[in-house]
Amino acid sequence: MKKAEVRRLPERAFSTVAHRLRMGLRRVRANFAQMVQIPIAATAAYAFCVYVLDHPYPFLAAVASAVGIGVVTDKRLRRSLDFGIGATFGVLVGEVLVNLYGSGIWQLAVTLSIGLFIGTMINSGGIFITQIAVQSVYVIAIPATATTQPFPRTIDALVGATCAIILALIIPRDARKVPRAQAANLLDEINAVLVMMAKALRAADPELADRALERARETQDIIDSWGSSLKVSQEAAKINARGRRHAAEVTRLSRAHTFSDRAMRTIRVIARRVLAMAELGVPKPIIADYVESLADGAKKLEIAVRRGTDRTLAENALAEAASRLDPRAEKSWDLHDESLVLLLRPLASDLLQAAGLTSDAAHERLPVLAEDNADGPPVE
C-alpha cells in the first residue's frame, strides 16, 4: 500500500463512520413512531391476556403484535395482516399437531414441514408462510402452561395480531411525511456531493474528489427507502380519507423520486470524471462554478420539499444553472472539459424535472448546442 493511501486511512475511516452515524440517526427519526408503537401494542396484548383471559405467560401475544407492527416505517395494512394471520394460524397448526402426536425432535421436523406446506397452499406471500412455520415451531418447542381453555396460545397470538391490525388502521398517518423526509435526505446528499466535487475541481484535489465519489455511492439506501416509503404512502392514500387528501403530493414525490434517482446515478458518473480530472492537477474554476450552481439549486429544492412549500425558487435556481451549461463556452477547454459539461446537462435536466418541470420544459432551459456538436456524444 502506498504511503499516501496509508495517510488517508484515518480520514477515510472517520468519513465512513460519520456517514454511517448520519444515516443511522436518520433511520431512527424515520422509524421513531414504529419504535413507540411496538412496546405499546406488545404490552397491551400481553396485559389483556394476563388480566382478562387469565393466561399466565402469553408471550405469543407480545410476539404477534411486535412482528405485526414491524420496526420500520414500511409497515402496511397488508403486511400487518400477513404477519398477524400467519402467526395466529401457525400457532393453531402447532397446537392441533401437538394434541395429535405430542412434542419432540421428530415432531418438530414434521410440524415445520406441515406448517410450510399449509402456508404455501394458502398464500404465496413469504411473510405469511414464514410466520406459519415459525409460530408452529414455537408451539412444539416451548411447553404450554396449565390452563382450562382450549388452544390458549392460539388465542394469545390472535390477541397480539388484533392489536397490530388495529394500530395499522387507527393511528393517524400523514402519507406525505416519510417520503417527503426521504426526498429531502437524498437531495441533501446530492447537494453535499456536488459541493465536494466543486471544491475538488477548484483545487484539483483528487482526495476530495474520491470522497465525493464514495459518498455518492453510499446513497442507494436512501433511494431504496424513499421508494419503499412511497409504496406505503400510496397504500395509505387508498385506505383512509386523510391519506387521499395527500394523494396529489404523493404522486409528485413519486415523480421526484424517479428523477432524483437518475440524477444521483449521473452524479456517480460525473464524480468518476471529476476524480480523473483532479488527478491531472489542473484547477477547473469555471466548471466548478457550474457544479456549485447546481448544488445551490438542489439545496433550494431540498428545503422546499422538506417544508412542503412552493418550489419556484428551486426551479429558478436550477434553470439559471442549466442555462450556463454550454460545452463551447470557453475556447481554452479541451475534450475533457467539454465532456464534463455535457455530463452536467442531463443532471440539470433531471433536477429540473424532479422540481416539477416537464421534460420539454427542462430541456428548454439548457443552451442550444452548436451544430458542429450534433454528431458528438448524446447529451440528454
Side-chain angles (χ1 to χ4, degrees):
M1 184 178 294
K2 297 180 180 179
K3 291 183 179 180
E5 294 180 354
V6 173
R7 288 196 300 269
R8 290 174 54 195
L9 284 178
E11 185 178 0
R12 296 183 67 174
F14 177 80
S15 177
T16 300
V17 171
H19 176 77
R20 298 295 182 186
L21 180 60
R22 184 169 58 253
M23 295 296 103
L25 290 174
R26 286 177 176 174
R27 286 194 296 271
V28 170
R29 286 196 297 269
N31 299 325
F32 185 75
Q34 303 298 111
M35 296 165 65
V36 172
Q37 291 177 44
I38 288 176
I40 292 174
T43 303
Y46 190 92
F48 181 86
C49 291
V50 170
Y51 295 110
V52 177
L53 302 181
D54 198 28
H55 293 181
Y57 304 107
F59 81 99
L60 283 173
V63 170
S65 60
V67 298
I69 292 173
V71 75
V72 295
T73 54
D74 65 352
K75 172 178 69 68
R76 298 186 284 268
L77 180 60
R78 171 64 184 271
R79 180 177 180 276
S80 297
L81 288 170
D82 278 351
F83 265 120
I85 296 174
T88 303
F89 194 80
V91 175
L92 177 61
V93 168
E95 291 209 289
V96 169
L97 295 178
V98 164
N99 289 330
L100 286 177
Y101 52 66
S103 60
I105 295 177
W106 69 266
Q107 290 92 334
L108 179 63
V110 172
T111 301
L112 181 56
S113 300
I114 294 175
L116 288 170
F117 176 79
I118 294 176
T120 305
M121 290 288 292
I122 294 175
N123 192 316
S124 61
I127 291 174
F128 184 86
I129 297 170
T130 301
Q131 283 304 305
I132 286 184
V134 170
Q135 302 303 334
S136 62
V137 168
Y138 274 156
V139 174
I140 293 293
I142 300 176
T145 56
T147 178
T148 59
Q149 295 178 346
F151 302 109
R153 290 179 288 189
T154 301
I155 297 173
D156 293 342
L158 182 61
V159 170
T162 302
C163 285
I165 293 170
I166 289 174
L167 283 176
L169 288 170
I170 68 173
I171 287 185
R173 176 180 178 84
D174 188 336
R176 307 164 299 175
K177 183 177 180 181
V178 176
R180 183 189 283 175
Q182 296 288 1
N185 289 342
L186 180 59
L187 289 166
D188 186 48
E189 288 297 303
I190 288 175
N191 164 259
V193 173
L194 289 175
V195 168
M196 293 173 71
M197 289 196 299
K199 291 179 178 178
L201 286 167
R202 187 168 286 112
D205 186 345
E207 293 185 8
L208 184 57
D210 187 46
R211 292 205 302 273
L213 177 58
E214 289 181 4
R215 185 161 181 173
R217 286 170 172 166
E218 292 173 344
T219 58
Q220 193 59 45
D221 285 347
I222 301 177
I223 296 171
D224 295 340
S225 297
W226 184 4
S228 177
S229 68
L230 282 168
K231 293 179 182 178
V232 179
S233 297
Q234 287 163 352
E235 182 175 299
K238 296 177 182 178
I239 66 174
N240 64 73
R242 182 178 179 182
R244 284 192 291 273
R245 293 201 301 271
H246 305 319
E249 184 170 353
V250 172
T251 300
R252 288 195 296 271
L253 287 168
S254 179
R255 187 173 186 274
H257 174 266
T258 299
F259 289 103
S260 297
D261 184 10
R262 292 182 186 178
M264 182 52 78
R265 293 175 190 273
T266 304
I267 285 173
R268 292 170 189 149
V269 176
I270 295 171
R272 289 193 288 270
R273 184 65 62 86
V274 169
L275 175 59
M277 293 180 68
E279 288 174 343
L280 297 176
V282 181
K284 302 291 181 180
I286 297 176
I287 301 178
D289 288 341
Y290 292 173
V291 175
E292 206 165 53
S293 297
L294 290 172
D296 180 64
K299 185 62 179 180
K300 286 182 169 61
L301 181 57
E302 180 255 319
I303 293 171
V305 169
R306 193 180 296 278
R307 296 176 179 174
T309 54
D310 186 72
R311 303 180 184 180
T312 302
L313 287 176
E315 292 177 10
N316 292 339
L318 288 168
E320 182 179 355
S323 68
R324 303 170 60 192
L325 299 177
D326 184 353
R328 298 295 177 87
E330 297 291 325
K331 294 182 179 180
S332 61
W333 282 349
D334 58 18
L335 182 60
H336 297 292
D337 301 320
E338 293 177 2
S339 298
L340 183 54
V341 176
L342 285 173
L343 285 172
L344 293 175
R345 290 170 64 91
L347 171 59
S349 176
D350 287 337
L351 289 174
L352 282 165
Q353 291 180 77
L357 271 66
T358 64
S359 177
D360 290 340
H363 291 162
E364 287 174 0
R365 303 308 194 270
L366 296 166
V368 178
L369 296 178
E371 291 183 2
D372 60 353
N373 194 53
D375 296 329
V379 177
E380 321 301 353

